Amino acid sequence: MTTRSANHLQLVTGTEFAGNSVSAQPDPAQTEDDRAFAAAQDDRFRDLLARAEQLDAATAPRPVTGTRAGLVVPLILGLTVLLALLGDQPWQLPQRVGGAVGAVPQSLVTFLLICGALCVWAAGRAVRPERTFDSAGAVRVWWLLVIGAMVVSLTSALSLTSYAGTGERPGGLAVRCLVPLVAALLAGALAHADGRGARIRAALGTGVVTVPMTALGWSLLASSGAPAGLGDVLGMTLLSGAVPLALAVAFVAADHRRGRTPR
């Protein structure tokens, strides 16, 4: 085949002859389409990747900031006043028999359990332990600590109410002060590696339970007709609940052991 014939056949069939071999010529229009399709696929992939990053950023849990920690104190004050007012109702109170608490009316037990559950729930909402602690084990221990503080505070409240109408002066004030103090110290120790802000939040979170439950106990005691008003109840709550909590929070806040960057 002559060169002229080969060129003519190449123009007609789109086939290139190289010696004894034959190779197909690429279609310029098809090549441009392939490039455009590949570019469109790249654009779609980049768009999907950007959307995925935005979705991850939107659904990622936000770290608990100091602003939330600042809301814990007003929450403690609000719950304290609320439970003090609720406790000042004409509840049927237990009697003191042989120096111990006698039979406790079922209505009072239900009321105390509801108040305790409310305080525990509020503490969890305020502190958000799953965001405050980096360790899942610390989160579980914190919940157990808060629930344990609620049970001890509830028992202390029942002990106070048993003195109603007896004319006796409730004892063990120093022991009652230990409940908010020890609970806050233990909670702060759980967050020793999570920064100063986390320690403060964890410690204050226990106060959402211990301080209002302390106010509830003194309020129930005063509801029996004792010459004590809301101011007296809040004063005793300040002495046996708020002050020990403040001391514990100040201690954990001043803990300068090396840890990670404070949040």
Side-chain angles (χ1 to χ4, degrees):
M1 181 182 295
T2 64
T3 304
R4 182 177 179 182
S5 300
N7 292 337
H8 178 71
L9 184 59
Q10 178 181 349
L11 291 174
V12 174
T13 63
T15 304
E16 180 182 2
F17 291 87
N20 294 328
S21 62
V22 179
S23 60
Q25 284 288 337
D27 188 355
Q30 184 178 2
T31 302
E32 291 297 329
D33 291 342
D34 292 341
R35 291 177 180 174
F37 178 77
Q41 292 296 325
D42 291 341
D43 291 339
R44 291 178 182 177
F45 178 75
R46 283 193 292 268
D47 182 60
L48 289 175
L49 185 60
R51 292 184 181 182
E53 291 176 351
Q54 293 175 0
L55 183 61
D56 290 341
T59 57
R62 298 179 181 178
V64 182
T65 61
T67 303
R68 180 173 291 276
L71 295 177
V72 179
V73 174
L75 177 62
I76 293 174
L77 294 176
L79 282 175
T80 298
V81 174
L82 174 63
L83 294 193
L85 293 174
L86 291 176
D88 195 29
Q89 305 303 313
W91 296 99
Q92 186 179 0
L93 304 179
Q95 301 297 319
R96 196 162 186 84
V97 180
V101 181
V104 182
Q106 184 62 41
S107 59
L108 182 62
V109 173
T110 303
F111 170 66
L112 290 175
L113 288 176
I114 291 175
C115 291
L118 173 64
C119 292
V120 171
W121 175 82
R125 294 292 297 175
V127 176
R128 299 292 178 89
E130 68 279 359
R131 301 182 187 179
T132 298
F133 300 99
D134 286 339
S135 169
V139 173
R140 290 191 291 268
V141 173
W142 185 86
W143 277 114
L144 291 175
L145 178 62
V146 170
I147 294 173
M150 183 270 289
V151 173
V152 175
S153 298
L154 189 150
T155 305
S156 177
L158 282 176
S159 175
L160 274 177
T161 59
S162 66
Y163 285 95
T166 62
E168 300 179 22
R169 185 176 180 179
L173 181 60
V175 176
R176 301 181 197 281
C177 293
L178 288 177
V179 177
L181 179 69
V182 173
L185 289 176
L186 292 177
L190 282 176
H192 71 278
D194 297 317
R196 181 175 181 270
R199 294 197 303 269
I200 293 175
R201 287 192 298 273
L204 279 176
T206 62
V208 179
V209 174
T210 56
V211 176
M213 293 298 291
T214 299
L216 180 60
W218 289 110
S219 180
L220 287 170
L221 175 62
S223 68
S224 62
L230 179 61
D232 299 311
V233 170
L234 295 180
M236 291 304 300
T237 303
L238 177 67
L239 178 63
S240 59
V243 170
L245 174 66
L247 292 175
V249 171
F251 179 82
V252 300
D255 185 1
H256 298 297
R257 287 177 294 179
R258 186 177 298 275
R260 280 172 285 184
T261 303
R263 298 178 184 177

